[in-house]
Amino acid sequence: TGGEDFIAPEKLLPSAFHVGIGKQFGSKQVHDAKHGGFNQKLQVRVTKRPPNTWDVALRAPSTVAVKKGDALLIGFWARGKAADGTGGGVAEFAVERNGAPYEKSVQYLVETPADGTWAHYWVRCKSLQDYEAGALKIVFQAGYLPMTFEVGGVQAINYGKRKPLDDLPYTPLTYVGREKDAPWRAAAAQRIEQ
C-alpha cells in the first residue's frame, strides 16, 4: 500500500510488452496462463544465442514521471527451461534509462527454478535520476542461452520518498546449487579430503 504505478498496469500485460527478438534468434508468443496471480504470460523462445544478451529483450517504458531517489518496487512471476534441459531460464532484469547511455538504477539476474515452476521475484531500487514519462524502462535481457523464458503478473510501483527502500520486499539473488544440501557439495567435499 501507499505506492503508485510508474508503469500503468495495462502496459505491463504480456501483449503490451515491446519484445526485441530477431527471427534468427527465436520467437515470442502470448499465451493464456493457469495461475492464480495472472491469466496471461509472455513466452520467449531463444533458439540461437545472440551476440549480446540485449538482442533478446522484453521492455516496458514508464508511463509517468519518476524523481531522483524515488523508491521503486517491481514484482513479477517468471519461469523457464534451458533448451538442453540442464536448468531453468536466465535473464537480466534492469530498471534503466530508455536510451543511451542506459544508466541502470538496478541490475538483477533472474535464474528460474530448474524444474520449470513459476517463481515470484521482488526487485527494489532508488531511481538514479529524474525521468520524464517514457524516459525510464524495465527490461528483461534474455539472450543468454537457448531456452524458453516466460513472465507474467508484472507490477511496477513507485513509493517516492514515503517509504524507506529497506522496508520494501526483496528477493535475494541466488543460483542453482547454492543450497546447503546441493548434490555437488558432497562430491566437492570428498575431493577436498582426497
Side-chain angles (χ1 to χ4, degrees):
T1 61
E4 299 172 358
D5 297 319
F6 71 93
I7 302 176
E10 63 271 15
K11 298 296 185 182
L12 293 171
L13 295 173
S15 57
F17 265 84
H18 302 281
V19 180
I21 183 169
K23 290 185 183 199
Q24 72 274 28
F25 301 129
S27 62
K28 63 150 179 133
Q29 290 185 316
V30 174
H31 294 286
D32 289 339
K34 295 177 182 172
H35 191 279
F38 52 93
N39 57 19
Q40 281 192 328
K41 64 183 179 182
L42 176 57
Q43 180 185 78
V44 172
R45 287 185 189 268
V46 182
T47 54
K48 179 183 175 187
R49 183 178 179 180
N52 306 295
T53 59
W54 56 84
D55 290 336
V56 177
L58 297 69
R59 303 177 186 95
S62 59
T63 54
V64 297
V66 173
K67 296 290 185 190
K68 181 177 181 177
D70 282 358
L72 307 178
L73 178 66
I74 302 88
F76 57 89
W77 289 87
R79 73 175 179 178
K81 196 74 175 159
D84 66 6
T86 59
V90 179
E92 181 184 88
F93 172 81
V95 176
E96 67 182 19
R97 178 182 294 279
N98 193 9
Y102 301 102
E103 60 200 8
K104 293 168 178 42
S105 295
V106 69
Q107 289 177 275
Y108 180 94
L109 187 66
V110 179
E111 187 174 357
T112 67
D115 64 3
T117 58
W118 287 102
H120 189 267
Y121 301 86
W122 288 114
V123 181
R124 63 188 185 197
C125 65
K126 283 194 176 183
S127 174
L128 286 180
Q129 301 292 332
D130 289 341
Y131 297 100
E132 296 177 9
L136 184 67
K137 70 180 175 191
I138 64 169
V139 61
F140 296 88
Q141 296 178 0
Y144 278 88
L145 68 155
M147 65 171 175
T148 299
F149 183 78
E150 298 177 331
V151 67
V154 183
Q155 301 169 279
I157 307 161
N158 184 351
Y159 287 92
K161 315 278 187 304
R162 297 179 299 279
K163 216 172 227 195
L165 197 62
D166 289 344
D167 287 355
L168 299 177
Y170 178 73
T171 305
L173 288 171
T174 190
Y175 54 86
V176 174
R178 187 174 187 168
E179 310 82 30
K180 289 185 179 188
D181 61 348
W184 69 268
R185 294 183 186 275
Q190 186 178 18
R191 287 193 304 274
I192 291 168
E193 284 301 312
Q194 289 174 350

